[in-house]
Amino acid sequence: VVKHPSGFYSDPETLGYSVNDYIYKEYKSASHKMVLTGRGEKLRPYILKMFKFLHMPEPNEGLILWPGTPRIKEYKAETISKAAKTGEWSEIHFYEDREDWLSYAQGVINSTYPNIKFVPHLVTSVNDVKKI
């Protein structure tokens, strides 16, 4: 296993320059769009610039970046939970490339909001849409 070098996720050069067509189609068709990432606030202007470069509409429910604490998986689950608390959704789709974080968020939402259908999507590759 090769770990990312220190600072990998805070370097704007590590942002992707393409979209997963399947996920992008789902994103465009969703009425409530949120991008929730483990990238830090320092990258906000670069991510917004990337939205423009990709001709991707900004998320109307927010671009939520990790503030540094708590751990990323807990922050993501907490953020999704806060959104669920508004009562605006009966179904939430969460796309995540870490299976343990996806499972954790699913457990939090299912136990806290059993009336909301939580649909987890494990993203395994930009090109491998069949596994999403």
Side-chain angles (χ1 to χ4, degrees):
V1 175
V2 178
K3 290 190 161 234
H4 292 294
S6 177
F8 179 84
Y9 291 107
S10 61
D11 183 349
E13 294 296 316
T14 63
L15 295 175
Y17 291 92
S18 65
V19 297
N20 177 306
D21 290 330
Y22 174 81
I23 295 173
Y24 185 58
K25 180 181 172 189
E26 295 298 313
Y27 177 85
K28 285 186 359 182
S29 70
S31 55
H32 297 280
K33 299 167 183 49
M34 176 189 290
V35 173
L36 172 60
T37 178
R39 301 291 183 127
E41 190 61 42
K42 168 183 157 187
L43 290 181
R44 181 176 297 277
Y46 300 99
I47 294 170
L48 292 172
K49 190 178 194 180
M50 191 56 63
F51 283 141
K52 286 185 171 98
F53 173 77
L54 295 170
H55 306 288
M56 185 173 168
E58 289 183 27
N60 59 348
E61 298 292 338
L63 169 59
I64 314 298
L65 298 136
W66 182 55
T69 59
R71 293 184 334 187
I72 296 172
K73 80 173 186 177
E74 291 154 356
Y75 181 71
K76 287 185 174 188
E78 176 184 301
T79 302
I80 296 167
S81 190
K82 283 180 187 175
K85 187 177 182 178
T86 67
E88 294 183 33
W89 299 300
S90 59
E91 188 171 312
I92 294 174
H93 289 254
F94 181 42
Y95 295 81
E96 175 60 62
D97 62 356
R98 292 275 311 257
E99 191 168 10
D100 56 332
W101 294 359
L102 187 64
S103 179
Y104 181 79
Q106 183 176 19
V108 168
I109 299 305
N110 286 346
S111 65
T112 310
Y113 302 98
N115 58 325
I116 294 178
K117 180 180 178 184
F118 185 88
V119 184
H121 299 271
L122 179 61
V123 180
T124 57
S125 165
V126 170
N127 300 312
D128 190 4
V129 297
K130 292 182 179 170
K131 292 187 178 178
I132 295 176

